[in-house]
Amino acid sequence: MEVVLSMVHPYTYKLQDGNLMLGPVAEFQERDKVLSNVVNHALDRGVQVVCHWLQHPESIEGAIEQVTFSVDPLFAWTKDQRMHHVVTSKYGVPIPDNPPGNISQRSWENLKKYFTTQSKLREVMGNPDMIIFVGGLLEACVTSAMGYHHQYDRRKGQRVAYIPELCVSLDQEQRRMFEGELEKIAIERVNCAEAQRMFMNGNTLGM
């Protein structure tokens, strides 16, 4: 079984009281250790890990976003050469391949320099048997990214899941509501141990 790990907007791991924190955050250290273990285990098994950034690294905002991770050893995986990187909107979705009617071709070409298109994201994600999502916010961009994939790119028989303990949330009531909606479209909940077993049993290096 081929598995892809999709990480949506990792900057949310650095949010504390609505602020983007520089370096390690004691409150989240245990979670971040688990996250690091899961990501590195996936990479070591040859699993494709796709990271959705909110800002292009060449923009000022993107450079700031990158700095927050560069001084935290638990996020060293963000610089791992085996990672695949895309830039998606604040909703965790790509921009369409063709420009909307209210935007000029020139403006659209500029946007395409910074954001990943639908066809490019589809190419990066491939056609795995299962996609596992993590990141944040679960009640916002993670649910949106999963819903988008379910609506436009999910093939028959493909499993889609998320790891609740590795999904950031700021509104527990909203989270519970969206978890119920995800269940209705057969998006599963898996824990870290289950995900790592899937990485080991999947179409990975050395197998």
PDB file of all heavy atoms in Angstrom, residues 1-4 41-42 44-47 129-130 132 159 192-207:
ATOM      1  N   MET A   1       0.844  -1.200   0.000  1.00  0.00           N
ATOM      2  CA  MET A   1       0.000   0.000   0.000  1.00  0.00           C
ATOM      3  C   MET A   1       0.877   1.246   0.000  1.00  0.00           C
ATOM      4  O   MET A   1       1.710   1.429   0.878  1.00  0.00           O
ATOM      5  CB  MET A   1      -0.914   0.013   1.237  1.00  0.00           C
ATOM      6  CG  MET A   1      -1.819   1.230   1.298  1.00  0.00           C
ATOM      7  SD  MET A   1      -3.020   1.186   2.644  1.00  0.00           S
ATOM      8  CE  MET A   1      -1.914   1.430   4.051  1.00  0.00           C
ATOM      9  N   GLU A   2       0.691   2.096  -0.988  1.00  0.00           N
ATOM     10  CA  GLU A   2       1.459   3.343  -1.071  1.00  0.00           C
ATOM     11  C   GLU A   2       0.770   4.431  -0.247  1.00  0.00           C
ATOM     12  O   GLU A   2      -0.438   4.659  -0.383  1.00  0.00           O
ATOM     13  CB  GLU A   2       1.592   3.799  -2.517  1.00  0.00           C
ATOM     14  CG  GLU A   2       2.456   5.038  -2.674  1.00  0.00           C
ATOM     15  CD  GLU A   2       2.560   5.503  -4.114  1.00  0.00           C
ATOM     16  OE1 GLU A   2       1.947   4.859  -4.990  1.00  0.00           O
ATOM     17  OE2 GLU A   2       3.243   6.517  -4.352  1.00  0.00           O
ATOM     18  N   VAL A   3       1.544   5.092   0.604  1.00  0.00           N
ATOM     19  CA  VAL A   3       1.006   6.112   1.510  1.00  0.00           C
ATOM     20  C   VAL A   3       1.716   7.440   1.278  1.00  0.00           C
ATOM     21  O   VAL A   3       2.934   7.480   1.040  1.00  0.00           O
ATOM     22  CB  VAL A   3       1.177   5.689   2.985  1.00  0.00           C
ATOM     23  CG1 VAL A   3       0.557   6.725   3.918  1.00  0.00           C
ATOM     24  CG2 VAL A   3       0.564   4.324   3.240  1.00  0.00           C
ATOM     25  N   VAL A   4       0.969   8.531   1.343  1.00  0.00           N
ATOM     26  CA  VAL A   4       1.530   9.886   1.316  1.00  0.00           C
ATOM     27  C   VAL A   4       1.154  10.579   2.617  1.00  0.00           C
ATOM     28  O   VAL A   4       0.013  10.475   3.082  1.00  0.00           O
ATOM     29  CB  VAL A   4       0.997  10.695   0.107  1.00  0.00           C
ATOM     30  CG1 VAL A   4       1.305  12.185   0.272  1.00  0.00           C
ATOM     31  CG2 VAL A   4       1.601  10.179  -1.190  1.00  0.00           C
ATOM     32  N   HIS A  41      10.296   9.153  10.487  1.00  0.00           N
ATOM     33  CA  HIS A  41      10.041   7.731  10.227  1.00  0.00           C
ATOM     34  C   HIS A  41       9.496   7.563   8.809  1.00  0.00           C
ATOM     35  O   HIS A  41       9.916   6.650   8.075  1.00  0.00           O
ATOM     36  CB  HIS A  41       9.042   7.179  11.245  1.00  0.00           C
ATOM     37  CG  HIS A  41       8.754   5.719  11.073  1.00  0.00           C
ATOM     38  ND1 HIS A  41       9.604   4.735  11.497  1.00  0.00           N
ATOM     39  CD2 HIS A  41       7.693   5.086  10.498  1.00  0.00           C
ATOM     40  CE1 HIS A  41       9.091   3.552  11.205  1.00  0.00           C
ATOM     41  NE2 HIS A  41       7.927   3.736  10.604  1.00  0.00           N
ATOM     42  N   ALA A  42       8.565   8.433   8.425  1.00  0.00           N
ATOM     43  CA  ALA A  42       8.003   8.372   7.071  1.00  0.00           C
ATOM     44  C   ALA A  42       9.098   8.582   6.027  1.00  0.00           C
ATOM     45  O   ALA A  42       9.205   7.824   5.047  1.00  0.00           O
ATOM     46  CB  ALA A  42       6.902   9.416   6.917  1.00  0.00           C
ATOM     47  N   ASP A  44      12.314   8.136   6.299  1.00  0.00           N
ATOM     48  CA  ASP A  44      13.270   7.028   6.307  1.00  0.00           C
ATOM     49  C   ASP A  44      12.724   5.784   5.630  1.00  0.00           C
ATOM     50  O   ASP A  44      13.494   4.951   5.137  1.00  0.00           O
ATOM     51  CB  ASP A  44      13.689   6.700   7.744  1.00  0.00           C
ATOM     52  CG  ASP A  44      14.556   7.787   8.366  1.00  0.00           C
ATOM     53  OD1 ASP A  44      15.085   8.627   7.607  1.00  0.00           O
ATOM     54  OD2 ASP A  44      14.679   7.818   9.608  1.00  0.00           O
ATOM     55  N   ARG A  45      11.401   5.655   5.625  1.00  0.00           N
ATOM     56  CA  ARG A  45      10.771   4.518   4.954  1.00  0.00           C
ATOM     57  C   ARG A  45      10.474   4.800   3.486  1.00  0.00           C
ATOM     58  O   ARG A  45       9.892   3.974   2.796  1.00  0.00           O
ATOM     59  CB  ARG A  45       9.476   4.134   5.681  1.00  0.00           C
ATOM     60  CG  ARG A  45       9.657   3.641   7.107  1.00  0.00           C
ATOM     61  CD  ARG A  45      10.489   2.373   7.172  1.00  0.00           C
ATOM     62  NE  ARG A  45       9.901   1.281   6.407  1.00  0.00           N
ATOM     63  CZ  ARG A  45      10.451   0.074   6.286  1.00  0.00           C
ATOM     64  NH1 ARG A  45      11.606  -0.175   6.874  1.00  0.00           N
ATOM     65  NH2 ARG A  45       9.855  -0.866   5.579  1.00  0.00           N
ATOM     66  N   GLY A  46      10.857   5.968   3.007  1.00  0.00           N
ATOM     67  CA  GLY A  46      10.634   6.297   1.616  1.00  0.00           C
ATOM     68  C   GLY A  46       9.248   6.810   1.306  1.00  0.00           C
ATOM     69  O   GLY A  46       8.855   6.899   0.141  1.00  0.00           O
ATOM     70  N   VAL A  47       8.494   7.129   2.354  1.00  0.00           N
ATOM     71  CA  VAL A  47       7.153   7.674   2.157  1.00  0.00           C
ATOM     72  C   VAL A  47       7.262   9.112   1.664  1.00  0.00           C
ATOM     73  O   VAL A  47       8.083   9.887   2.158  1.00  0.00           O
ATOM     74  CB  VAL A  47       6.349   7.614   3.478  1.00  0.00           C
ATOM     75  CG1 VAL A  47       5.038   8.391   3.375  1.00  0.00           C
ATOM     76  CG2 VAL A  47       6.074   6.164   3.866  1.00  0.00           C
ATOM     77  N   ASP A 129      -2.464   4.862  -2.386  1.00  0.00           N
ATOM     78  CA  ASP A 129      -3.603   4.130  -1.840  1.00  0.00           C
ATOM     79  C   ASP A 129      -4.201   4.838  -0.638  1.00  0.00           C
ATOM     80  O   ASP A 129      -5.386   4.681  -0.337  1.00  0.00           O
ATOM     81  CB  ASP A 129      -3.167   2.713  -1.434  1.00  0.00           C
ATOM     82  CG  ASP A 129      -2.609   1.940  -2.613  1.00  0.00           C
ATOM     83  OD1 ASP A 129      -3.371   1.695  -3.566  1.00  0.00           O
ATOM     84  OD2 ASP A 129      -1.406   1.622  -2.597  1.00  0.00           O
ATOM     85  N   MET A 130      -3.361   5.635   0.040  1.00  0.00           N
ATOM     86  CA  MET A 130      -3.827   6.323   1.241  1.00  0.00           C
ATOM     87  C   MET A 130      -3.079   7.632   1.420  1.00  0.00           C
ATOM     88  O   MET A 130      -1.872   7.708   1.172  1.00  0.00           O
ATOM     89  CB  MET A 130      -3.627   5.442   2.476  1.00  0.00           C
ATOM     90  CG  MET A 130      -4.164   6.034   3.758  1.00  0.00           C
ATOM     91  SD  MET A 130      -4.072   4.852   5.134  1.00  0.00           S
ATOM     92  CE  MET A 130      -5.095   5.685   6.352  1.00  0.00           C
ATOM     93  N   ILE A 132      -2.516  10.543   4.437  1.00  0.00           N
ATOM     94  CA  ILE A 132      -2.704  10.873   5.854  1.00  0.00           C
ATOM     95  C   ILE A 132      -2.358  12.349   6.038  1.00  0.00           C
ATOM     96  O   ILE A 132      -1.258  12.786   5.689  1.00  0.00           O
ATOM     97  CB  ILE A 132      -1.826   9.997   6.758  1.00  0.00           C
ATOM     98  CG1 ILE A 132      -2.172   8.518   6.566  1.00  0.00           C
ATOM     99  CG2 ILE A 132      -2.000  10.395   8.222  1.00  0.00           C
ATOM    100  CD1 ILE A 132      -1.269   7.560   7.345  1.00  0.00           C
ATOM    101  N   ARG A 159      -8.051   5.579   0.514  1.00  0.00           N
ATOM    102  CA  ARG A 159      -8.299   5.925   1.909  1.00  0.00           C
ATOM    103  C   ARG A 159      -7.704   7.302   2.218  1.00  0.00           C
ATOM    104  O   ARG A 159      -6.607   7.632   1.761  1.00  0.00           O
ATOM    105  CB  ARG A 159      -7.690   4.881   2.840  1.00  0.00           C
ATOM    106  CG  ARG A 159      -8.306   3.505   2.717  1.00  0.00           C
ATOM    107  CD  ARG A 159      -7.551   2.479   3.555  1.00  0.00           C
ATOM    108  NE  ARG A 159      -7.661   2.771   4.979  1.00  0.00           N
ATOM    109  CZ  ARG A 159      -6.961   2.116   5.925  1.00  0.00           C
ATOM    110  NH1 ARG A 159      -6.094   1.174   5.575  1.00  0.00           N
ATOM    111  NH2 ARG A 159      -7.123   2.422   7.200  1.00  0.00           N
ATOM    112  N   CYS A 192      -0.795   7.817  15.840  1.00  0.00           N
ATOM    113  CA  CYS A 192       0.579   7.843  15.347  1.00  0.00           C
ATOM    114  C   CYS A 192       1.129   6.437  15.113  1.00  0.00           C
ATOM    115  O   CYS A 192       1.796   6.183  14.100  1.00  0.00           O
ATOM    116  CB  CYS A 192       1.473   8.597  16.323  1.00  0.00           C
ATOM    117  SG  CYS A 192       1.094  10.360  16.447  1.00  0.00           S
ATOM    118  N   ALA A 193       0.840   5.530  16.037  1.00  0.00           N
ATOM    119  CA  ALA A 193       1.340   4.160  15.905  1.00  0.00           C
ATOM    120  C   ALA A 193       0.767   3.492  14.662  1.00  0.00           C
ATOM    121  O   ALA A 193       1.482   2.800  13.920  1.00  0.00           O
ATOM    122  CB  ALA A 193       1.002   3.354  17.152  1.00  0.00           C
ATOM    123  N   GLU A 194      -0.520   3.709  14.416  1.00  0.00           N
ATOM    124  CA  GLU A 194      -1.146   3.132  13.223  1.00  0.00           C
ATOM    125  C   GLU A 194      -0.532   3.706  11.958  1.00  0.00           C
ATOM    126  O   GLU A 194      -0.271   2.974  10.987  1.00  0.00           O
ATOM    127  CB  GLU A 194      -2.650   3.414  13.242  1.00  0.00           C
ATOM    128  CG  GLU A 194      -3.409   2.623  14.293  1.00  0.00           C
ATOM    129  CD  GLU A 194      -4.847   3.090  14.471  1.00  0.00           C
ATOM    130  OE1 GLU A 194      -5.111   4.296  14.268  1.00  0.00           O
ATOM    131  OE2 GLU A 194      -5.701   2.244  14.818  1.00  0.00           O
ATOM    132  N   ALA A 195      -0.301   5.013  11.952  1.00  0.00           N
ATOM    133  CA  ALA A 195       0.309   5.646  10.783  1.00  0.00           C
ATOM    134  C   ALA A 195       1.701   5.082  10.515  1.00  0.00           C
ATOM    135  O   ALA A 195       2.056   4.775   9.368  1.00  0.00           O
ATOM    136  CB  ALA A 195       0.377   7.160  10.984  1.00  0.00           C
ATOM    137  N   GLN A 196       2.480   4.921  11.567  1.00  0.00           N
ATOM    138  CA  GLN A 196       3.837   4.419  11.381  1.00  0.00           C
ATOM    139  C   GLN A 196       3.839   2.975  10.888  1.00  0.00           C
ATOM    140  O   GLN A 196       4.705   2.589  10.104  1.00  0.00           O
ATOM    141  CB  GLN A 196       4.617   4.569  12.679  1.00  0.00           C
ATOM    142  CG  GLN A 196       4.936   6.031  12.980  1.00  0.00           C
ATOM    143  CD  GLN A 196       5.700   6.215  14.280  1.00  0.00           C
ATOM    144  OE1 GLN A 196       5.360   5.651  15.313  1.00  0.00           O
ATOM    145  NE2 GLN A 196       6.744   7.016  14.232  1.00  0.00           N
ATOM    146  N   ARG A 197       2.878   2.177  11.323  1.00  0.00           N
ATOM    147  CA  ARG A 197       2.760   0.809  10.796  1.00  0.00           C
ATOM    148  C   ARG A 197       2.430   0.842   9.307  1.00  0.00           C
ATOM    149  O   ARG A 197       2.934   0.025   8.531  1.00  0.00           O
ATOM    150  CB  ARG A 197       1.692   0.023  11.561  1.00  0.00           C
ATOM    151  CG  ARG A 197       2.150  -0.476  12.926  1.00  0.00           C
ATOM    152  CD  ARG A 197       1.238  -1.555  13.460  1.00  0.00           C
ATOM    153  NE  ARG A 197      -0.113  -1.072  13.716  1.00  0.00           N
ATOM    154  CZ  ARG A 197      -0.504  -0.522  14.866  1.00  0.00           C
ATOM    155  NH1 ARG A 197       0.352  -0.379  15.867  1.00  0.00           N
ATOM    156  NH2 ARG A 197      -1.750  -0.119  15.024  1.00  0.00           N
ATOM    157  N   MET A 198       1.576   1.783   8.924  1.00  0.00           N
ATOM    158  CA  MET A 198       1.242   1.920   7.496  1.00  0.00           C
ATOM    159  C   MET A 198       2.470   2.327   6.694  1.00  0.00           C
ATOM    160  O   MET A 198       2.659   1.868   5.567  1.00  0.00           O
ATOM    161  CB  MET A 198       0.118   2.932   7.319  1.00  0.00           C
ATOM    162  CG  MET A 198      -1.217   2.460   7.861  1.00  0.00           C
ATOM    163  SD  MET A 198      -2.439   3.790   7.919  1.00  0.00           S
ATOM    164  CE  MET A 198      -3.748   3.004   8.857  1.00  0.00           C
ATOM    165  N   PHE A 199       3.308   3.185   7.249  1.00  0.00           N
ATOM    166  CA  PHE A 199       4.533   3.572   6.556  1.00  0.00           C
ATOM    167  C   PHE A 199       5.430   2.347   6.342  1.00  0.00           C
ATOM    168  O   PHE A 199       6.024   2.180   5.281  1.00  0.00           O
ATOM    169  CB  PHE A 199       5.317   4.610   7.364  1.00  0.00           C
ATOM    170  CG  PHE A 199       4.587   5.906   7.608  1.00  0.00           C
ATOM    171  CD1 PHE A 199       4.933   6.718   8.674  1.00  0.00           C
ATOM    172  CD2 PHE A 199       3.556   6.320   6.776  1.00  0.00           C
ATOM    173  CE1 PHE A 199       4.269   7.914   8.911  1.00  0.00           C
ATOM    174  CE2 PHE A 199       2.889   7.510   6.991  1.00  0.00           C
ATOM    175  CZ  PHE A 199       3.240   8.311   8.065  1.00  0.00           C
ATOM    176  N   MET A 200       5.504   1.494   7.348  1.00  0.00           N
ATOM    177  CA  MET A 200       6.363   0.327   7.279  1.00  0.00           C
ATOM    178  C   MET A 200       5.826  -0.707   6.300  1.00  0.00           C
ATOM    179  O   MET A 200       6.596  -1.410   5.630  1.00  0.00           O
ATOM    180  CB  MET A 200       6.508  -0.312   8.667  1.00  0.00           C
ATOM    181  CG  MET A 200       7.283   0.518   9.647  1.00  0.00           C
ATOM    182  SD  MET A 200       7.611  -0.340  11.201  1.00  0.00           S
ATOM    183  CE  MET A 200       8.753  -1.603  10.665  1.00  0.00           C
ATOM    184  N   ASN A 201       4.500  -0.793   6.199  1.00  0.00           N
ATOM    185  CA  ASN A 201       3.896  -1.814   5.343  1.00  0.00           C
ATOM    186  C   ASN A 201       3.633  -1.321   3.931  1.00  0.00           C
ATOM    187  O   ASN A 201       3.183  -2.076   3.075  1.00  0.00           O
ATOM    188  CB  ASN A 201       2.559  -2.276   5.943  1.00  0.00           C
ATOM    189  CG  ASN A 201       2.762  -2.996   7.270  1.00  0.00           C
ATOM    190  OD1 ASN A 201       3.791  -3.637   7.483  1.00  0.00           O
ATOM    191  ND2 ASN A 201       1.796  -2.877   8.163  1.00  0.00           N
ATOM    192  N   GLY A 202       3.911  -0.038   3.699  1.00  0.00           N
ATOM    193  CA  GLY A 202       3.603   0.543   2.398  1.00  0.00           C
ATOM    194  C   GLY A 202       4.664   0.287   1.356  1.00  0.00           C
ATOM    195  O   GLY A 202       5.621  -0.471   1.557  1.00  0.00           O
ATOM    196  N   ASN A 203       4.483   0.939   0.216  1.00  0.00           N
ATOM    197  CA  ASN A 203       5.402   0.811  -0.910  1.00  0.00           C
ATOM    198  C   ASN A 203       6.586   1.736  -0.660  1.00  0.00           C
ATOM    199  O   ASN A 203       6.662   2.835  -1.208  1.00  0.00           O
ATOM    200  CB  ASN A 203       4.676   1.198  -2.198  1.00  0.00           C
ATOM    201  CG  ASN A 203       5.569   1.031  -3.415  1.00  0.00           C
ATOM    202  OD1 ASN A 203       6.527   0.290  -3.371  1.00  0.00           O
ATOM    203  ND2 ASN A 203       5.226   1.733  -4.498  1.00  0.00           N
ATOM    204  N   THR A 204       7.495   1.281   0.197  1.00  0.00           N
ATOM    205  CA  THR A 204       8.581   2.146   0.650  1.00  0.00           C
ATOM    206  C   THR A 204       9.942   1.568   0.291  1.00  0.00           C
ATOM    207  O   THR A 204      10.072   0.486  -0.260  1.00  0.00           O
ATOM    208  CB  THR A 204       8.494   2.341   2.177  1.00  0.00           C
ATOM    209  OG1 THR A 204       8.507   1.054   2.804  1.00  0.00           O
ATOM    210  CG2 THR A 204       7.198   3.040   2.547  1.00  0.00           C
ATOM    211  N   LEU A 205      10.978   2.309   0.638  1.00  0.00           N
ATOM    212  CA  LEU A 205      12.338   1.918   0.301  1.00  0.00           C
ATOM    213  C   LEU A 205      12.685   0.560   0.889  1.00  0.00           C
ATOM    214  O   LEU A 205      12.325   0.232   2.012  1.00  0.00           O
ATOM    215  CB  LEU A 205      13.337   2.954   0.833  1.00  0.00           C
ATOM    216  CG  LEU A 205      13.288   4.338   0.172  1.00  0.00           C
ATOM    217  CD1 LEU A 205      14.241   5.261   0.906  1.00  0.00           C
ATOM    218  CD2 LEU A 205      13.641   4.257  -1.294  1.00  0.00           C
ATOM    219  N   GLY A 206      13.377  -0.223   0.122  1.00  0.00           N
ATOM    220  CA  GLY A 206      13.858  -1.500   0.606  1.00  0.00           C
ATOM    221  C   GLY A 206      12.802  -2.579   0.620  1.00  0.00           C
ATOM    222  O   GLY A 206      13.028  -3.650   1.175  1.00  0.00           O
ATOM    223  N   MET A 207      11.650  -2.316   0.005  1.00  0.00           N
ATOM    224  CA  MET A 207      10.595  -3.307   0.034  1.00  0.00           C
ATOM    225  C   MET A 207      10.228  -3.706  -1.382  1.00  0.00           C
ATOM    226  O   MET A 207      10.413  -2.984  -2.322  1.00  0.00           O
ATOM    227  CB  MET A 207       9.360  -2.744   0.759  1.00  0.00           C
ATOM    228  CG  MET A 207       9.647  -2.384   2.205  1.00  0.00           C
ATOM    229  SD  MET A 207       8.149  -1.918   3.102  1.00  0.00           S
ATOM    230  CE  MET A 207       7.354  -3.503   3.224  1.00  0.00           C
TER     231      MET A 207
END
